[in-house]
Amino acid sequence: MSTPLERTRCRARAHPLAVDATLAAGVLACMLAGSFVDPHAENGATWITRTPNALSLTLMVLGAAALVFRRRTPMTVLAATGTVSLVELVVGDPRAPVAMSAVVALFTVASATDRHTAWRVGLLMMTVLTAAAMLAGPLPWYAQENLGIFAWTGMAAAAGDAVRSRRAFVDAIRERAERAERTREEEARRRVAEERLRIARDLHDVVAHHIALVNVQAGVAAHVMDKRPDQAKEALAHVREASRSALNELRATVGLLRQTGDPEAPTEPAPGLGRLDELADTFRNAGLPVEVARAEQDAGLPAAVDLAAYRVIQEALTNVQKHAGAEAKAEVSVVRVGPNVEVTVLDNGPGQSAEHAPEVGGGHGLLGMRERVSALGGSCTAGPRYGGGFRVHAILPVKNLTPARGAAV
C-alpha cells in the first residue's frame, strides 16, 4: 500500500506544469513579502516601512510567470528571469527581490544540464548580476545585498549540480540493479536449458539402447516361437531384463526432476565403466558380438568422465545394433593415454552407417555424444572406416578437468 508521500510524488510527476505553477505562485508571494521589508531601518529590518513601485511589481510578476515554464525551456526562462532581475537591480529604488526568480531558474538549469554547462551559465549569471548591482545600482558597491546576490546565485548553481549528480547516481544504481536482474534471469534460463538438454541426452541414451535391444529380442522371439520355443523363451527373458533395466534407469533419470524432500529420491549411482561388461553382455544376448579391451587404470575416474565414457560406448553400440547389419561385430577399447582416457568403438558392419542414422530416423545420438565429451573439455569424432564399418573415438581429459562453464554432463 502506497504512502501519502508516494501518492503525492506520483501526482506531481503526472502534472509537472501544475507543480511549476504552484512554485511560481510561492516565489511571487515571497518576492512580494520581501519587497515590503526595509533592511536598512533604524531599528533593523522593519515590516511595511516601504512599498514597491509599479515597475518592481511588474518585474516580479513577469519573473514569477516565467517560472511556470522552467522545465519546458529552462535556458529561455533563465534568460527572461535574468533580464528582469538585471533591470530591477539597476533601476529599482527601493530594490525588490526580483532576483529570487533568477535564482530558481538557475537552479533548474543546473539540475537539468551537464556540469560544464551548469557552471558556465552559473558563473555568467553570478558575474552579470553582481556586477550590475555593484556598479549601476542605487546602493554602494560593498552593500550586503550585492554580496547576497553573488552568494545566492552561486548556491543555486551548486545545489542544482548536486541534484543532477544525485539523480544520475540513483539512475546508475537502478540501471545496474535492472541489468543484474536481467543477468540473473538470463542465467536461470540458460541453466534450465542446459539441464533440459542434459536430461534429454540421458533419456535418449537410456531409451535408444534398451528399446533397440527389446526390438531385436522381440523379433527373434517372434521368428522362432513356433519351431524353437526354448530359444523364444530365452529371447523373451532378455526382453524382460532389458525392459526392467530401462525402467530402472528411467526412474533414476526422471527422479532428478524431483524437488528437495520429495519421497523416493533415487539412490542408485549413475552408470560407469564398472558396468561395461554388463553393458556388453546385453548386446551379446541380442546377437551382436562385442569384444572389450580395457586397461586397469580406468578405475577411480571422476564421476563425470566415468558416466560420459559409459554413455559414449552405449550409444555407439546401439548404433551398431541398429544400423550396421546382422553380420556386424563390434570392438570396444578403453585405455589411458597420458592425462586422458580414450574410448574407441569399431564395427565392421556392411549395413547403413550410423553416420546417416540421424538423417533417417531423426535421432540425436552422435550429437549427444559430442555434447557430452565437449562439456568435459574433450573431443569426439565419428565416421566411416576405410574398407567398411564405422569408428567412434572420444578423448576425455582426466587430470585438470575443466568443463565448459555451466555445462552439465
Side-chain angles (χ1 to χ4, degrees), residues 80-389:
T81 56
T83 300
V84 297
S85 299
L86 183 62
V87 173
E88 175 64 20
L89 291 174
V90 172
V91 302
D93 189 19
R95 184 184 293 169
V98 180
M100 185 180 297
S101 61
V103 169
V104 176
L106 180 58
F107 169 84
T108 303
V109 170
S111 64
T113 59
D114 59 278
R115 176 166 295 174
H116 177 72
T117 302
W119 283 109
R120 183 179 59 188
V121 174
L123 288 175
L124 177 63
M125 183 65 65
M126 293 163 58
T127 302
V128 171
L129 294 184
T130 304
M134 288 182 173
L135 300 178
L139 299 177
W141 69 268
Y142 52 84
Q144 293 183 355
E145 287 84 347
N146 298 336
L147 298 179
I149 293 173
F150 180 84
W152 278 107
T153 51
M155 286 189 294
D161 182 68
V163 169
R164 182 200 55 79
S165 299
R166 182 182 180 278
R167 187 187 301 122
F169 177 72
V170 172
D171 291 342
I173 292 178
R174 184 181 296 109
E175 181 182 359
R176 284 197 296 269
E178 293 175 353
R179 186 166 57 248
E181 182 65 24
R182 288 195 300 269
T183 302
R184 284 193 295 269
E185 293 176 354
E186 293 172 357
E187 179 69 11
R189 286 194 295 268
R190 185 183 65 81
R191 289 184 178 274
V192 168
E194 289 178 351
E195 185 66 12
R196 290 175 60 189
L197 177 61
R198 187 190 66 80
I199 293 175
R201 211 159 43 213
D202 283 343
L203 289 175
H204 172 271
D205 293 341
V206 172
V207 172
H209 165 60
H210 291 290
I211 295 303
L213 296 180
V214 168
N215 181 61
V216 171
Q217 295 292 354
V220 171
H223 182 68
V224 301
M225 179 67 71
D226 295 331
K227 297 181 179 180
R228 287 174 286 178
D230 293 339
Q231 189 175 351
K233 290 181 180 179
E234 183 180 353
L236 291 175
H238 290 315
V239 170
R240 183 174 63 251
E241 181 64 27
S243 301
R244 181 165 56 249
S245 179
L247 288 175
N248 290 337
E249 290 201 35
L250 283 174
R251 186 179 299 111
T253 302
V254 175
L256 297 175
L257 301 176
R258 294 179 182 272
Q259 299 293 330
T260 303
D262 286 351
E264 300 179 2
T267 58
E268 182 180 357
L273 293 178
R275 296 173 55 181
L276 181 56
D277 293 333
E278 178 184 344
L279 176 66
D281 287 338
T282 61
F283 286 98
R284 294 188 186 106
N285 294 331
L288 174 66
V290 179
E291 295 182 6
V292 177
R294 56 188 298 188
E296 297 180 356
Q297 295 92 336
D298 60 17
L301 294 176
V305 175
D306 202 23
L307 174 61
Y310 179 88
R311 293 302 190 195
V312 168
I313 296 171
Q314 182 185 52
E315 179 60 30
L317 291 177
T318 300
N319 285 337
V320 175
Q321 179 73 54
K322 293 166 60 178
H323 305 291
E327 303 299 326
K329 296 181 181 180
E331 298 177 8
V332 178
S333 172
V334 182
V335 296
R336 285 287 292 271
V337 180
N340 303 321
V341 170
E342 294 192 11
V343 176
T344 306
V345 180
L346 307 174
D347 72 80
N348 62 346
Q352 182 189 21
S353 170
E355 185 181 27
H356 303 293
E359 298 175 3
V360 176
H364 303 278
L366 295 181
L367 177 61
M369 283 192 291
R370 293 191 181 100
E371 289 176 345
R372 280 187 179 278
V373 176
S374 298
L376 295 173
S379 62
C380 180
T381 58
R385 299 173 61 193
Y386 178 77

Side-chain angles (χ1 to χ4, degrees), residues 52-76:
N53 54 36
L55 178 60
S56 297
L57 289 174
T58 302
L59 294 176
M60 285 187 286
V61 172
L62 292 176
L67 293 179
V68 177
F69 308 98
R70 66 188 186 96
R71 297 195 207 190
R72 293 185 177 182
T73 56
M75 296 298 292
T76 303

Side-chain angles (χ1 to χ4, degrees), residues 9-26 64-73 77:
R9 288 178 177 175
C10 291
R11 285 193 291 268
R13 285 192 291 267
H15 305 284
L17 191 63
V19 174
D20 291 340
T22 304
L23 174 64
L67 293 179
V68 177
F69 308 98
R70 66 188 186 96
R71 297 195 207 190
R72 293 185 177 182
T73 56
V77 171

